[in-house]
Amino acid sequence: MIHALKIGEIVYKNNLFVAPLAGYTDFAFRKLCYQFGAGLCFTEMVSSKGLVYGSEKTEELLHLDETETVTATQIFGSDPYIMRQACESAALQKFRHIDINMGCPVPKLYKNGEGSALLNNFPLAEKIIKECKKSGKVITVKFRVGLEEDKLLATEFAKLCEGAGADSITIHGRVRSNGHTGKVDYKQIASAKKAVQIPVIANGGIQNRQDALKTLQETGADGIMVARGAMENPHICSEILYDSPPTAWKKKESILQQLSDMQKFYSDKFIIVQMRKMIAFYSKGMPNSSIYRKQLFSCNSIVELEKCITQIFTV
């Protein structure tokens, strides 16, 4: 069920994708996921207005490691013409694949008519996709199965995306009101899959290999996208790809490498804040993890952070 997947003109080595995660999927984290076998990773989502009008923060989010050759990016916005300009911007010149966020449940975006708010406005969503397609890039769309439990629309929205020219769609199996919790609606994803010819990627609730295989079986999707499961365990990619992963996750070694990679691009201040929250996820469920987190969040230098990593992770 894991296989190469063609989206638009691009063939990915496998159909296991890692989602764009705000505040987490920087280049050093993506590098880990690729090392563990991910077929495609995304940058954090970026603002179309930030791309068009210029933003130093936006440029930081788009930084690629020299080893990244297939990474995609995700943009958000509600103005079709600004979205197209973003796709054609110099900042996105290095990206062949651009995903449009039409599923983010965050209130700030929703109130601005962005993210999942576009599920309320089919004509606008359609116009955005059509404009972005004019850029000549591979354009995909990520959305949720609906806004509320009594307002499910995955099939109708999937047809809209295909009709507007989207090269594939990713469907998060929860409604907006449920955020990142609650039951994943496999039936909605399966219905959408049957209604379109473009590839469908299933997303939501994948924490291990069993979840991944169940998602593929229940939905008939062409691929899967892991999100929060990868934040706690980027090695999930290898665990999904192989019944018996060829290598174990050597946490200390990997995390120190991640830290070293980040030092090539980011300031010490950013690295300390970023790695403290990442390590808090990596150590979740470990014995004495609450004690470790207390030590971790008292680190105020790279040296202290390295020492803390060595103390927390023995291998």
Side-chain angles (χ1 to χ4, degrees):
M1 300 178 82
I2 300 296
H3 52 78
L5 182 63
K6 184 177 182 180
I7 296 179
E9 61 181 24
I10 306 172
V11 178
Y12 294 109
K13 69 176 184 179
N14 65 52
N15 54 347
L16 170 58
F17 297 171
V18 176
L21 296 164
Y24 292 94
T25 49
D26 58 58
F27 78 96
F29 175 79
R30 296 193 305 268
K31 185 176 179 180
L32 273 185
C33 294
Y34 281 129
Q35 287 174 347
F36 293 139
L40 173 65
C41 297
F42 292 77
T43 71
E44 300 178 47
M45 68 175 183
V46 293
S47 164
S48 57
K49 290 182 179 179
L51 288 163
V52 172
Y53 298 117
S55 166
E56 184 178 337
K57 176 65 174 175
T58 297
E59 291 181 8
E60 285 186 5
L61 296 175
L62 296 172
H63 180 71
L64 296 176
D65 183 77
E66 59 186 13
T67 61
E68 293 185 82
T69 57
V70 297
T71 296
T73 191
Q74 185 187 72
I75 62 174
F76 69 92
S78 59
D79 185 313
Y81 304 106
I82 290 179
M83 292 284 277
R84 177 184 174 181
Q85 288 179 60
C87 292
E88 295 172 342
S89 67
L92 295 192
Q93 187 175 8
K94 55 193 172 184
F95 295 96
R96 297 166 61 198
H97 178 168
I98 300 173
D99 189 68
I100 304 172
N101 185 301
M102 295 190 179
C104 182
V106 173
K108 182 179 178 181
L109 266 68
Y110 189 81
K111 290 176 182 177
N112 287 338
E114 301 165 335
S116 59
L118 290 165
L119 297 176
N120 278 321
N121 194 334
F122 275 39
L124 179 58
E126 182 179 37
K127 195 168 185 179
I128 288 172
I129 298 168
K130 286 183 175 179
E131 282 298 317
C132 289
K133 278 296 293 182
K134 292 177 183 178
S135 69
K137 300 290 184 80
V138 170
I139 300 296
T140 59
V141 183
K142 187 171 187 285
F143 63 93
R144 287 176 174 251
V145 295
L147 297 168
E148 305 286 346
E149 294 288 356
D150 60 353
K151 194 177 181 181
L152 301 174
L153 39 73
T155 302
E156 291 73 21
F157 203 77
K159 291 178 182 178
L160 177 146
C161 292
E162 181 178 48
D167 293 293
S168 80
I169 53 176
T170 297
I171 307 176
H172 185 136
R174 299 185 179 98
V175 295
R176 175 187 180 266
S177 59
N178 284 346
H180 299 289
T181 61
K183 188 177 179 181
V184 175
D185 194 329
Y186 297 121
K187 290 182 179 179
Q188 278 287 303
I189 301 176
S191 175
K193 166 59 186 169
K194 291 177 182 177
V196 297
Q197 298 301 310
I198 56 175
V200 174
I201 311 300
N203 170 234
I206 300 173
Q207 300 289 331
N208 51 50
R209 178 178 170 83
Q210 184 178 355
D211 292 337
L213 295 179
K214 180 179 180 181
T215 298
L216 287 168
Q217 291 167 354
E218 294 284 340
T219 65
D222 300 284
I224 50 173
M225 179 178 285
V226 295
R228 299 176 76 81
M231 282 163 49
E232 296 178 13
N233 175 24
H235 192 253
I236 190 175
C237 299
S238 184
E239 293 166 15
I240 289 172
L241 290 171
Y242 306 99
D243 188 25
S244 297
T247 57
W249 183 18
K250 298 178 181 178
K251 289 188 178 183
K252 181 169 68 174
E253 179 182 318
S254 295
I255 296 166
L256 287 173
Q257 181 61 54
Q258 185 179 359
L259 178 63
S260 176
D261 286 334
M262 294 187 77
Q263 288 178 276
K264 300 172 186 176
F265 183 73
Y266 297 118
S267 68
D268 284 5
K269 182 178 179 181
F270 176 86
I271 293 169
I272 292 165
V273 173
Q274 183 74 351
M275 287 303 294
R276 286 191 306 201
K277 67 180 182 180
M278 295 297 292
I279 296 166
F281 271 110
Y282 296 158
S283 61
K284 188 176 179 181
M286 291 176 59
N288 303 314
S289 59
S290 60
I291 297 173
Y292 292 148
R293 280 194 291 274
K294 187 175 181 180
Q295 292 176 332
L296 181 64
F297 284 92
S298 67
C299 293
N300 291 304
S301 71
I302 298 295
V303 172
E304 289 178 359
L305 199 57
E306 289 175 333
K307 183 178 179 181
C308 194
I309 291 169
T310 303
Q311 290 176 336
I312 295 173
F313 304 102
T314 56
V315 293

